[in-house]
Structure formats: structure tokens, C-alpha cells
Amino acid sequence: MDSAKYLAAIDSLCARDLTAADGESDAYRSGPGYRIESLETSHGTRTGDVSRRMATVQDFYALKSHIAQELDDRWGRQQPLWGMGTLQVRLGRGEDIPEPWALTSVLMDDLELWQPPGSDRWIAVGVGYRDEGDEVHVLAVASDIDPV
């Protein structure tokens, strides 16, 4: 595991201007006030063997936990694991959930969440695997929009 690579990407998200519009080619997804980047991506898991996909999901959860521990060591444990179930129910009821939180609730089951000291920005890390038409990702989220 190359922790330095992942932490550098998260540091970049912490410092980045998030006022850009959707469509930045190097982002997994971005919009005004947020950016989502893939820290790690599987290859060949979007089709075929479900057991291989789920093994990759487990590996990526282990990687997410490792990254989360590094960020806990840096910023302190700030939030309990944030399950996306409540947001999914609220979306199902037609509530307006701002991005990136609506998207993360569709892609991931849970997020590790921090607000770095002295910052108004939120940083989250999760495993995106619920879209079976996409590869599995360890995703890092930076947002100036408070989680709901």
C-alpha cells in the first residue's frame, strides 16, 4: 500500500479550488463546491465473476480502513462511520440532497468523514461498488457543502 500516494491526493483535494463546474476530465465527478477522485480503481470487475468483484470490494475496504487510520492519526477521529442508508431513504422520499452527498449515497454504503482542523472543508473516503456497471473504486470526496 502506497499511503504517501493516497495522502498526497487527499492533501491536493484539501487545497484545491472547488468552484469548478462539472466535467473536469481528471475527476471521478465534480461540481460547484465538491470534487470526487478515485484513489484506486479495479480492472475488469464490472462484468463477469461476482465472487471476484466481491473479493475486490473486500480488498478495497481494507485499503479504505488503512487510509482512514492514516487520516485519524493526522486529524484525529472526528466522526463515527457514516452509513448512507438514511440518505438513501430520504432520496427515495423525494427529498433534495445536495451533491456530493446524494451521489455518494448511491455509490457507497458508508463513508469515513473528517473536517480537517482549521478548515471548512469536508473530506470523506469510501468504497464505491454499488454501480455494477462500473469498476470498484476507493473514492476520496472533498466538499465545501456540509454533509446532511
Side-chain angles (χ1 to χ4, degrees):
M1 266 181 250
D2 188 359
S3 295
K5 173 178 86 171
Y6 303 125
L7 294 175
I10 290 168
D11 287 342
S12 176
L13 284 172
C14 288
R16 188 178 188 101
D17 177 11
L18 297 179
T19 58
D22 275 333
E24 290 186 50
S25 62
D26 62 335
Y28 180 85
R29 192 78 51 87
S30 67
Y34 75 94
R35 183 176 174 90
I36 302 172
E37 290 188 5
S38 182
L39 300 177
E40 196 68 49
T41 305
S42 66
H43 300 285
T45 62
R46 72 176 72 192
T47 59
D49 187 1
V50 173
S51 62
R52 181 172 165 237
R53 182 177 177 85
M54 293 315 295
T56 301
V57 169
Q58 289 178 349
D59 290 346
F60 279 24
Y61 264 97
L63 176 56
K64 178 193 80 140
S65 293
H66 179 77
I67 295 167
Q69 184 60 56
E70 295 278 340
L71 293 174
D72 284 349
D73 291 348
R74 178 187 285 184
W75 295 327
R77 186 78 192 135
Q78 298 180 8
Q79 308 287 328
L81 187 65
W82 187 29
M84 299 287 99
T86 302
L87 286 183
Q88 293 164 7
V89 168
R90 291 173 57 198
L91 278 170
R93 291 181 182 161
E95 285 188 48
D96 185 31
I97 306 295
E99 294 299 352
W101 312 116
L103 176 62
T104 59
S105 73
V106 172
L107 295 174
M108 301 178 232
D109 287 336
D110 54 56
L111 286 173
E112 303 281 350
L113 185 65
W114 300 265
Q115 192 170 31
S119 172
D120 292 333
R121 183 158 293 175
W122 291 92
I123 301 295
V125 178
V127 178
Y129 73 97
R130 294 181 61 213
D131 179 355
E132 293 177 4
D134 193 5
E135 295 292 338
V136 180
H137 298 267
V138 175
L139 296 170
V141 180
S143 180
D144 293 334
I145 302 159
D146 285 340
V148 275

